Amino acid sequence: QLSVTAPILAPFGSFAPIYVNANIDVADLSDVGTLVTYGYGLLWKPVAGLSLNVSTTRERGPPSLTDLGGPIVITPAVRVFDFTANQNVFAETVTGGNPGLIADRRRVLKLALQLDPKQRGPWRFNLDYTRARISDETRSFTLLTPQFEAAFPNRIVRDGAGVLVSFDRRPVLTAQSERDELKTTINWVKRYRGRGFSQLLSGGKPGRKQAKSGQPQQTGGSLRVTLTHRLVLRDRVRIAPGVEPFDFLSGAAATALGGTPQHRLNASLRRWRNGLGLTAALGFQSGTEIIGPTDTLSFSSLVTSALRISYNLSRRPNLINRLPLLDNTRISLQLSNVFNDKLQVRDQSGATPFAFQEDILDPNGRLWRIALRKRF
């Protein structure tokens, strides 16, 4: 790997600094060969607290070990929704690796704007635009749609009556994929200083372990709030030359959970102080649809939520002195899907196909976890 950054316009007079950067990465991988990735870009800082970055990369990406060499597994009587017949069937499925996969070719253009109004103050704003074009991309299609069957007829086996018998779900190579995305991020960070939790309990006196080791307990903490919005402007894949591309924003099936949501909103709060941590996350994704030859499936919007509270027992010197085994131990309580929101799927008649029942797509719902982590 080699990366170089150099100024091409020094900060003098009324000119703002401009930097040029270039990088190259060479990797030699078994079963794939030599892969070369290179890129270059410009960084401009017109005023204090504002930076603009333009970069482009040409990258070779290998398929994963699982996609390339995973064991082939044939499973009988798997529930599959056949969009061509518009019904649920039980068919044989084939999963595993595909040794015919090759490294993809990626061309990525990024435009980034970062605003730090007070220069290392609590607020920071980021606006990022990414344009990606990928050739020979490895993809897995878990839904049997007419587009997939037309592009890969050898992956589908039907009987004389047209009923699905076998569906090969192993990853395939696609001719080209296109994805354009605009991401907006707002960060707010507040840092605190103060006495340690153990000192507060003991009236300001350090614990015995602290006095013996001579290492003061870390005090203070931080509060971080992050808001993110992702707007997908384009997401489509052309499986093979001459085949109509899959447009995941306009009715094509990206995964078993529908197409690609055009909007994703995420908010997170992270609070840490004196060994006590709180993490809360809230997300929203817009609804999608899958357009079949005889019916359309509508996938609802979805709200995701999570809450996690943790405590580092090492912050209690008196407890550690009595029970040394608890040193470097953290206990946490986690709650997933706080609002128990589940994806709802409806066809044009308002019914839900059996393969898309709420409890099949998400059998857990709201989930509690208690975790104990010990570092030796």
Side-chain angles (χ1 to χ4, degrees):
Q1 299 181 20
L2 177 64
S3 179
V4 177
T5 301
I8 60 174
L9 184 59
F12 63 91
S14 59
F15 294 96
I18 297 179
Y19 302 89
V20 62
N21 59 77
N23 58 83
I24 186 171
D25 180 288
V26 180
D28 185 35
L29 304 178
S30 61
D31 300 326
V32 179
T34 302
L35 305 180
V36 179
T37 298
Y38 66 93
Y40 49 88
L42 289 174
L43 174 62
W44 181 37
K45 297 181 178 181
V47 295
L50 176 64
S51 64
L52 301 172
N53 194 353
V54 181
S55 64
T56 181
T57 58
R58 300 291 187 270
E59 179 181 353
R60 296 292 306 278
S64 69
L65 292 177
T66 301
D67 288 338
L68 191 64
I72 296 177
V73 178
I74 300 175
T75 308
V78 176
R79 185 188 300 107
V80 178
F81 186 80
D82 185 356
F83 280 87
T84 300
N86 197 33
Q87 64 179 0
N88 292 288
V89 296
F90 288 91
E92 176 185 271
T93 63
V94 182
T95 58
N98 180 359
L101 301 176
I102 61 176
D104 60 36
R105 290 176 167 83
R106 300 169 180 257
R107 295 172 294 139
V108 181
L109 172 66
K110 293 185 178 181
L111 306 176
L113 182 150
Q114 184 180 94
L115 177 61
D116 188 355
K118 295 185 178 181
Q119 301 186 57
R120 298 185 180 180
W123 292 97
R124 179 171 294 179
F125 304 88
N126 292 81
L127 184 64
D128 301 280
Y129 169 77
T130 304
R131 180 182 185 270
R133 300 294 182 265
I134 308 175
S135 302
D136 298 324
E137 183 185 23
T138 298
R139 285 236 178 189
S140 296
F141 294 86
T142 57
L143 288 183
L144 176 54
T145 61
Q147 297 98 323
F148 179 84
E149 188 170 1
F152 299 97
N154 59 327
R155 293 296 188 100
I156 308 301
V157 177
R158 297 183 182 273
D159 61 17
V163 178
L164 181 67
V165 175
S166 178
F167 178 21
D168 190 342
R169 291 177 169 175
R170 289 178 296 167
V172 298
L173 282 177
T174 58
Q176 186 181 45
S177 67
E178 304 173 354
R179 185 178 179 91
D180 299 343
E181 180 181 284
L182 185 65
K183 178 182 176 182
T184 305
T185 306
I186 301 175
N187 279 298
W188 182 83
V189 180
K190 176 69 173 178
R191 303 190 184 279
Y192 299 92
R193 295 181 179 179
R195 292 181 298 171
F197 183 73
S198 61
Q199 296 183 26
L200 294 176
L201 292 180
S202 60
K205 297 180 180 180
R208 286 181 293 173
K209 182 179 179 180
Q210 178 185 5
K212 182 178 179 180
S213 63
Q215 298 178 355
Q217 294 283 335
Q218 295 180 355
T219 61
S222 64
L223 173 63
R224 178 185 297 271
V225 179
T226 303
L227 301 176
T228 304
H229 174 243
R230 292 180 182 268
L231 173 62
V232 181
L233 304 173
R234 174 179 295 187
D235 188 13
R236 60 184 186 180
V237 170
R238 187 180 297 277
I239 292 185
V243 178
E244 189 70 18
F246 288 15
D247 191 340
F248 300 125
L249 293 175
S250 301
T255 67
L257 302 180
T260 297
Q262 188 169 28
H263 297 274
R264 291 182 185 270
L265 293 169
N266 293 93
S268 65
L269 182 148
R270 295 178 176 87
R271 179 74 168 94
W272 179 89
R273 190 167 190 178
N274 303 323
L276 183 64
L278 169 66
T279 303
L282 184 65
F284 168 83
Q285 68 178 38
S286 56
T288 64
E289 64 179 11
I290 298 178
I291 301 176
T294 60
D295 204 348
T296 298
L297 293 182
S298 298
F299 293 74
S300 68
S301 58
L302 182 66
V303 174
T304 58
S305 51
L307 183 65
R308 180 175 181 268
I309 301 175
S310 62
Y311 185 67
N312 187 354
L313 298 181
S314 297
R315 302 293 299 187
R316 299 292 302 274
N318 293 333
L319 177 63
I320 300 303
N321 287 336
R322 293 195 298 268
L323 299 172
L325 183 63
L326 296 181
D327 194 16
N328 294 320
T329 300
R330 176 177 296 176
I331 186 171
S332 62
L333 174 65
Q334 306 172 24
L335 175 60
S336 303
N337 197 359
V338 179
F339 303 108
N340 198 29
D341 191 29
K342 296 187 178 183
L343 193 67
Q344 298 181 0
V345 184
R346 299 286 186 269
D347 58 20
Q348 290 179 331
S349 67
T352 299
F354 188 79
F356 296 97
Q357 296 288 331
E358 294 180 10
D359 291 338
I360 293 178
L361 297 179
D362 182 8
N364 290 327
R366 185 184 294 113
L367 185 63
W368 292 87
R369 289 187 178 94
I370 298 178
L372 185 66
R373 178 186 177 187
K374 167 68 177 177
R375 183 164 56 91
F376 295 92

